[in-house]
Amino acid sequence: DTQMTQSPSSLSASVGDRVTISCRASQTVNAYVNWYQQKPGKAPKLLIYAATSLLSGVPSRFSGSGSGTDFTLTISSLQPEDFATYYCQQSFSSPRTFGQGTKVEIK
Amino acid sequence: QVQLQESGPGLVKPSQTLSLTCTVSGGTIRTDGYYWSWIRQHPGKGLEWIGFISHRGSTYYNPSLQGRATISVDTSENRFSLNLNSVTAADTAVYYCARDHYFDNTGYDAFDIWGQGTTVTVSS
């Protein structure tokens, strides 16, 4: 299985801050990485697919980068509604696997 | 607007079979370019992919479940189901169904639509 490791596990930030979340795959996954946002008690929501493609309707302050084994999700200016847990996921091979999550909290 | 809705018992006894159904509304399950997945989340933990099925019945399962999972599809009812046998307390989780969307001809896919999730507790 391909392991996905996120860092940090949690972070505190203020509204307006630029936030970066990293995800590393245990083997190359090319650009087959997706990013999800999950709020408490809710299902995850897809933000970015294929490492860099923003899903239609997702605010442009979200962006993704990377290829191979190292990937990044960036929120350019954190908004109050962005406080949530973020997960990366690889779709290069089965079984599909997720990172352990990064919780973004209010500073 | 496609929507997914999970249904099934919230409490299952140890050693029994967990059975859940995901009903697809607002669109047909009989569409190429989509697979239909089950994903679970243990309390306070991350996400675990269980497996998926195509509308033609092709399946793939996570080996971590050691052959206990079976996913089936009923295209006439526009729904798909999960059976997980020999459950233990370790199977207590929120279970989600999700659509695995293959984007155009890129080969890239992602879970773009999710059900709201259903909590299943394994306890006697």
Side-chain angles (χ1 to χ4, degrees), chain B residues 9-35:
Chain B
L11 181 63
V12 181
K13 288 181 166 42
S15 80
Q16 294 193 341
T17 297
L18 177 163
S19 295
L20 297 173
T21 295
C22 181
T23 300
V24 179
S25 60
T28 176
I29 205 170
R30 280 193 305 264
T31 305
D32 290 333
Y34 302 122
Y35 275 70

Side-chain angles (χ1 to χ4, degrees), chain B residues 39-53:
Chain B
I39 297 162
R40 69 181 181 180
Q41 187 167 34
H42 294 102
K45 302 291 186 183
L47 298 156
E48 180 184 27
W49 179 75
I50 296 170
F52 58 39
I53 191 166

